[in-house]
Amino acid sequence: MKVVFERPKTLLEKPFTYCPGCHHGLAQRLIAEVIDELGIADRTIGVGPIGCSVYIYEFIDVDFVVGAHGRAPAIATGIKRALPDRVVFSYQGDGDIAAIGTAEIIHVANRGELITAFFVNNAVFGMTGGQMAPTTLVGQKTKTTPLGRKPEVHGFPFRLGECLSVAEGSAYIARVALTRPQFIRQAKECIRRAFLTQIEKKGFSLVEILSPCPTNWGMSPKEAVDWLEQHMIPYFPLGELKVKECLPHEAL
Amino acid sequence: MEKKILMRGNEAVAEAAVRAGCRLYFGYPITPQNEISEYLSFRLPQVGGVFLQAESEVAAIHMVYGAAATGARVMTSSSGPGISLMQEGLSCIAAAELPCVVVNMSRGGPGVGNIQPAQSDYFQAVKGGGHGDYRLIVLAPSTVQELVDLTYRAFYLADKYRNPVEILGDGMLGQMMEPVVFREPEFPPLPPKDWAVRGKGDGPRKWIVCLDLDPKGLEELNLRLQKKYRKLEEEDVDYATFGNPEPEVLLVGFGTVGRILRSVVREGEKRGLKLALFRPITLFPFPKRALQEWARKARAVLVVEMNLGQMLEDVELAVQGEVPVFFLGHTGGVIPTVEEILEYVCRLLRKGVRV
Ligand code: SF4
């Protein structure tokens, strides 16, 4: 019998520990599939963050380093500068990458550091129990915006992908969602292109993955998927935000 | 014969690091230690190494963390306020048990303070600094030559114990010029860095983390760290003494103050005083036992620091009340003078050293 679908080699057998309806598992599976297809598992090093996404090192079968809140891009820089021929990626949630670690990710992008960042945006702080994130939508209720996010009090939802795409050193920035089969196919292609951007030394690459957090949104998995499509995608439009075809310094 | 070169402290520490095999440096400018990064910005590329100016001290120390995780010899340097920003990363590096070297050419504090030499970062350096039950290995040079020798030692100890090492100097030591010789010391062989994360290749994967959500697991890590600190105390405590082996007053000071106290001992001798200097070289682990033995021989101990009594606490713990301990200190970048210290000693002796 022909095998048409199986677990990616790079995904360990351990069952995911994420909440039902969370897309962390899907996102990590796609990353593992792409690592398999590119044949880079033996020379890839992942950098974990703090937050629900920290557990990635338990699921993906590559070398890993996990550091403090928001610092993954700096840690990835240290690894990549020490071992320039390895493939280095960070995997970070929105609290980690767009709040406490904003400085690190902006400068990694601006330096054109040859690393790939995966940015899982679920518009809320997941692990700490559902407080407002920089990406929380206007009107969205969270533990620290019980009456909904008000721009005049809490500021505006942060579009990190757009922000990073104006950095000279960023080469590939895409935003994807995993709520439909065709979105999943597109997401996988973007993850592949992000890794290739690094391997071909074109510059910094980032894939923002819109993801539901049913637990902290107080919704069923199905409601969460619908909410994501209805509310998040209009504010965080999907697609490739930046595709640069040459080394950043060659463009100047 | 080995060549003597006239060098500034900051440049000497940088050159020693390169010769000790340091191949990556991440840092952020802050006075009075900028010559370290300026020197390494041209020197490291000459040996195929990496110099990268980070966007902040916070980023710099985490770049160090990343590079250290690959098994490379890596360092950073800063001063007071910058070292404060690095504490988060240092706690992580200690928790992940990674080797690295941090140079602190300390300045006056608290706050942004000033750029004059001070020793008020003692607590921060030897007591942990960041959160959690961890320690740095802390070395305190008092001459440019010692800055060189202790830099070699710092990289060796970092690898031996898989622990961050801080070289605690000050603005004076970093800026002064003295002749130095680069003698590459021979150290016992180090264990292989088989823990390093370098991509799994054909073998099983490795990971380096600085968290353990299981309380038992985290307690185990902490107990292992404590064991390491005890081993350090057994094997790698260091100090220097100078002067009369039967002193009336034992002077205790580290780093820059150590050299001022040498002059005090010499000047005192001329005036017929029996003085000795005890200078801790490892501030952590602190040379408790040796200090206690020396203190017992004296009628009084006088601690001199460029802070308001930080090492004093460790000295008092070591002496355990057997001999009266006195303190003379300046802070904010004021440097104690030989005359002033001698006067203090004379007053002590005139009073018959009663507490
Ligand atoms: S809290 Fe939210 S982000 Fe975290 S695992 Fe659960 S659903 Fe996913």
Side-chain angles (χ1 to χ4, degrees):
Chain A
M1 223 190 323
K2 196 176 160 223
V3 177
V4 291
F5 193 72
E6 61 182 341
R7 170 184 285 272
K9 268 209 331 268
T10 299
L11 197 62
L12 288 156
E13 293 245 356
K14 185 175 176 173
F16 283 119
T17 46
Y18 299 109
C19 307
C22 178
H23 286 185
H24 267 308
L26 268 176
Q28 291 174 20
R29 186 201 156 98
L30 291 177
I31 293 170
E33 280 181 16
V34 173
I35 289 175
D36 277 2
E37 287 167 19
L38 295 174
I40 52 171
D42 55 340
R43 61 185 179 104
T44 294
I45 301 172
V47 185
I50 303 298
C52 294
S53 24
V54 64
Y55 293 112
I56 186 172
Y57 76 94
E58 302 217 8
F59 306 121
I60 295 198
D61 189 18
V62 298
D63 275 9
F64 258 98
V65 180
V66 176
H69 314 69
R71 313 297 173 226
I75 297 168
T77 300
I79 297 171
K80 186 75 182 192
R81 294 295 181 123
L83 303 170
D85 60 342
R86 306 302 199 276
V87 179
V88 180
F89 75 89
S90 73
Y91 183 88
Q92 304 175 259
D94 44 9
D96 191 81
I97 203 171
I100 194 167
T102 324
E104 282 80 0
I105 195 68
I106 287 180
H107 287 280
V108 157
N110 201 47
R111 281 197 301 269
E113 210 67 58
L114 295 175
I115 65 167
T116 301
F118 297 106
F119 159 28
V120 180
N121 179 357
N122 57 20
V124 76
F125 275 64
M127 193 183 242
T128 48
Q131 299 83 4
M132 184 189 81
T135 44
T136 294
L137 295 180
V138 170
Q140 188 184 339
K141 288 187 178 162
T142 70
K143 287 265 179 68
T144 50
T145 53
L147 303 175
R149 182 177 192 157
K150 292 192 180 81
E152 63 276 25
V153 182
H154 311 105
F156 295 93
F158 187 31
R159 290 191 188 96
L160 181 72
E162 281 80 351
C163 173
L164 296 182
S165 53
V166 298
E168 202 58 57
S170 64
Y172 183 79
I173 310 270
R175 187 182 287 119
V176 302
L178 307 173
T179 48
R180 299 169 182 216
Q182 81 262 31
F183 286 173
I184 293 178
R185 274 196 300 277
Q186 283 159 4
K188 185 170 167 187
E189 178 57 19
C190 291
I191 292 169
R192 203 178 69 86
R193 297 189 70 176
F195 271 127
L196 285 174
T197 299
Q198 173 179 173
I199 292 164
E200 289 161 8
K201 297 186 168 40
K202 287 178 182 162
F204 170 77
S205 51
L206 174 134
V207 180
E208 175 174 341
I209 303 163
L210 301 185
S211 178
C213 179
T215 304
N216 288 306
W217 293 357
M219 295 176 197
S220 72
K222 169 76 174 74
E223 286 165 348
V225 161
D226 292 342
W227 192 87
L228 188 152
E229 291 197 350
Q230 280 160 22
H231 296 92
M232 282 184 79
I233 293 177
Y235 190 84
F236 298 111
L238 305 184
E240 292 181 322
L241 302 172
K242 183 174 190 180
V243 183
K244 209 169 180 177
E245 281 307 333
C246 55
L247 288 167
H249 52 265
E250 283 173 6
L252 293 175
Chain B
M1 220 184 70
E2 285 135 331
K3 223 171 88 196
K4 271 197 176 173
I5 320 168
L6 187 67
M7 264 183 127
R8 191 184 296 274
N10 282 335
E11 291 173 349
V13 79
E15 177 61 30
V18 174
R19 292 182 189 223
C22 173
R23 287 298 172 269
L24 296 109
Y25 172 94
F26 305 97
Y28 184 81
I30 182 170
T31 310
Q33 58 77 53
N34 294 319
E35 295 81 4
I36 298 178
S37 41
E38 287 163 12
Y39 188 91
L40 290 172
S41 70
F42 74 83
R43 187 68 176 94
L44 274 172
Q46 286 176 352
V47 292
V50 174
F51 167 87
L52 182 62
Q53 186 170 317
E55 65 271 24
S56 69
E57 287 91 345
V58 178
I61 193 69
H62 288 91
M63 291 173 185
V64 168
Y65 178 35
T70 71
R73 279 197 162 172
V74 51
M75 86 166 201
T76 185
S77 62
S78 191
S79 183
I83 297 285
S84 295
L85 286 172
M86 290 184 183
Q87 295 305 323
E88 171 194 86
L90 284 170
S91 170
C92 285
I93 295 170
E97 294 191 84
L98 295 176
C100 72
V101 173
V102 178
V103 180
N104 180 2
M105 290 301 182
S106 61
R107 56 192 248 176
V112 175
N114 63 17
I115 57 169
Q116 303 306 318
Q119 296 183 323
S120 37
D121 296 358
Y122 180 91
F123 279 157
Q124 187 193 49
V126 308
K127 305 294 181 192
H131 58 283
D133 276 319
Y134 79 92
R135 301 294 187 112
L136 307 177
I137 301 168
V138 185
L139 307 178
S142 74
T143 61
V144 178
Q145 181 63 55
E146 212 176 15
L147 204 47
V148 167
D149 298 340
L150 290 182
T151 301
Y152 289 111
R153 178 111 64 94
F155 280 100
Y156 165 73
L157 290 175
D159 281 343
K160 177 175 174 187
Y161 291 98
R162 288 181 61 185
N163 202 73
V165 178
E166 180 167 323
I167 298 173
L168 182 59
D170 61 51
M172 176 120 113
L173 202 56
Q175 294 298 332
M176 73 171 49
M177 292 184 86
E178 283 184 326
V180 288
V181 177
F182 288 91
R183 256 178 255 110
E184 279 179 46
E186 279 192 20
F187 292 115
L190 288 163
K193 292 186 169 178
D194 49 9
W195 45 265
V197 157
R198 302 177 62 83
K200 63 184 180 139
D202 305 327
R205 77 195 190 101
K206 302 190 189 78
W207 61 90
I208 287 172
V209 299
C210 58
L211 83 164
D212 194 333
L213 295 180
D214 169 34
K216 282 225 179 84
L218 190 54
E219 188 175 57
E220 247 166 58
L221 164 73
N222 273 294
L223 294 177
R224 193 168 69 238
L225 293 180
Q226 294 303 319
K227 220 164 112 190
K228 172 152 88 179
Y229 306 147
R230 282 198 294 277
K231 184 171 153 136
L232 257 159
E233 216 175 323
E234 293 302 317
E235 296 177 15
D236 285 289
V237 168
D238 197 10
Y239 60 92
T241 56
F242 175 74
N244 196 314
E246 308 277 317
E248 283 185 292
V249 177
L250 181 69
L251 303 162
V252 186
F254 71 93
T256 291
V257 169
R259 56 196 295 154
I260 300 173
L261 292 180
R262 274 176 85 95
S263 307
V264 173
V265 171
R266 269 195 234 106
E267 279 301 308
E269 255 171 29
K270 287 187 203 155
R271 301 186 197 180
L273 303 175
K274 287 159 76 181
L275 304 177
L277 161 66
F278 185 95
R279 179 170 64 86
I281 293 173
T282 50
L283 298 182
F284 186 86
F286 194 72
K288 282 188 243 169
R289 266 169 282 178
L291 175 58
Q292 194 178 35
E293 279 161 30
W294 270 85
R296 277 191 189 130
K297 304 188 213 172
R299 284 166 60 198
V301 171
L302 174 61
V303 180
V304 183
E305 295 180 78
M306 296 196 311
N307 62 48
L308 294 181
Q310 300 195 8
M311 183 179 67
L312 173 65
E313 294 187 4
D314 286 328
V315 174
E316 281 174 335
L317 273 174
V319 174
Q320 294 190 356
E322 292 190 31
V323 184
V325 178
F326 298 87
F327 177 74
L328 171 63
H330 281 297
T331 185
V334 179
I335 301 167
T337 65
V338 175
E339 257 323 296
E340 173 191 16
I341 301 167
L342 261 180
E343 244 171 60
Y344 194 103
V345 170
C346 291
R347 239 184 300 139
L348 275 184
L349 290 171
R350 268 204 304 279
K351 276 200 235 153
V353 201
R354 283 275 131 66
V355 208

